Amino acid sequence: MVAPDLTWSSLASSGAALRVAGTRWITHQIAGVGVAAVSATALAVPAATTATLLAAAWIGSLLPDADRAGSRVYRRTRVERRVPLARLAGWLLRLPLRPLVLLRHRGITHSLVACAAVALATWALVGLADADLGVAAGAGMAIGYGAHVLADACTPAGVPLWAPLSSKPTWMLPAWARIKTGSAREFVVATALTGALVSATFLL
């Protein structure tokens, strides 16, 4: 059996063929929650505010893919699988998202308008209970949601960043550098991003 060539050039050139399970949603969570953690550390915000910011960023990093029925946002968490009450709460919370599966994947949900709308709605809803936490929740949602959209704008398909004004795809990287979802290149980028964000959090 011949050992595989694991040089960077081989990984980059074969990125379209190699698949690394789990990098899709994990990459989005690393970006969203990681940026939120660095922001919270840099601003030295209180523990409750930090927790709210991170939780909102985690949810926001999953929400853009609510337009796809099998996406991570629709899957039960471990707590939901074990606790009936949590399972019911999760089902109720996801209920408003269900109509989004009727939309085209990577359509309006992957736009700046959607990011702003979701962040403002989160700010308003959480703010009804606590004004300060409302700001943190809105900011966290914007960070997580925005990071997801921008990450998808680094893939070959791009995203309709300016929808509904324009359905033309937008990219954040030149064609040669775009990262195919689930590829070995994505795994390398996700690993590097994790290291950079962890380092930044400890250095701040």
Side-chain angles (χ1 to χ4, degrees), residues 10-50:
S10 69
L11 288 175
S13 62
S14 62
L18 293 175
R19 314 299 288 178
V20 182
T23 55
R24 301 184 181 203
W25 61 272
I26 290 176
T27 301
H28 287 310
Q29 289 189 337
I30 290 171
V33 178
V35 171
V38 171
S39 300
T41 303
L43 296 173
V45 297
T49 304
T50 298

Side-chain angles (χ1 to χ4, degrees), residues 8-123:
W8 165 250
S9 58
S10 69
L11 288 175
S13 62
S14 62
L18 293 175
R19 314 299 288 178
V20 182
T23 55
R24 301 184 181 203
W25 61 272
I26 290 176
T27 301
H28 287 310
Q29 289 189 337
I30 290 171
V33 178
V35 171
V38 171
S39 300
T41 303
L43 296 173
V45 297
T49 304
T50 298
T52 302
L53 185 75
L54 296 182
W58 173 63
I59 296 171
S61 70
L62 300 176
L63 278 182
D65 283 341
D67 58 2
R68 190 161 55 91
S71 66
R72 188 76 184 181
V73 72
Y74 291 117
R75 300 179 191 176
R76 293 174 180 169
T77 63
R78 183 175 299 178
V79 174
E80 289 177 84
R81 291 194 294 269
R82 294 181 177 180
V83 182
L85 189 59
R87 188 180 311 140
L88 175 61
W91 181 83
L92 290 173
L93 288 173
R94 292 183 182 93
L95 196 57
L97 302 177
R98 294 293 180 181
L100 295 177
V101 301
L102 299 176
L103 301 175
R104 180 174 64 87
H105 181 48
R106 284 203 186 183
I108 187 66
T109 63
H110 286 66
S111 68
L112 291 180
V113 168
C115 179
V118 171
L120 288 172
T122 302
W123 175 26

Side-chain angles (χ1 to χ4, degrees), residues 109-158:
T109 63
H110 286 66
S111 68
L112 291 180
V113 168
C115 179
V118 171
L120 288 172
T122 302
W123 175 26
L125 288 173
V126 178
L128 293 175
D130 187 298
D132 291 336
L133 293 184
V135 173
M141 185 63 68
I143 291 172
Y145 202 109
H148 182 125
V149 172
L150 292 179
D152 279 350
C154 295
T155 65

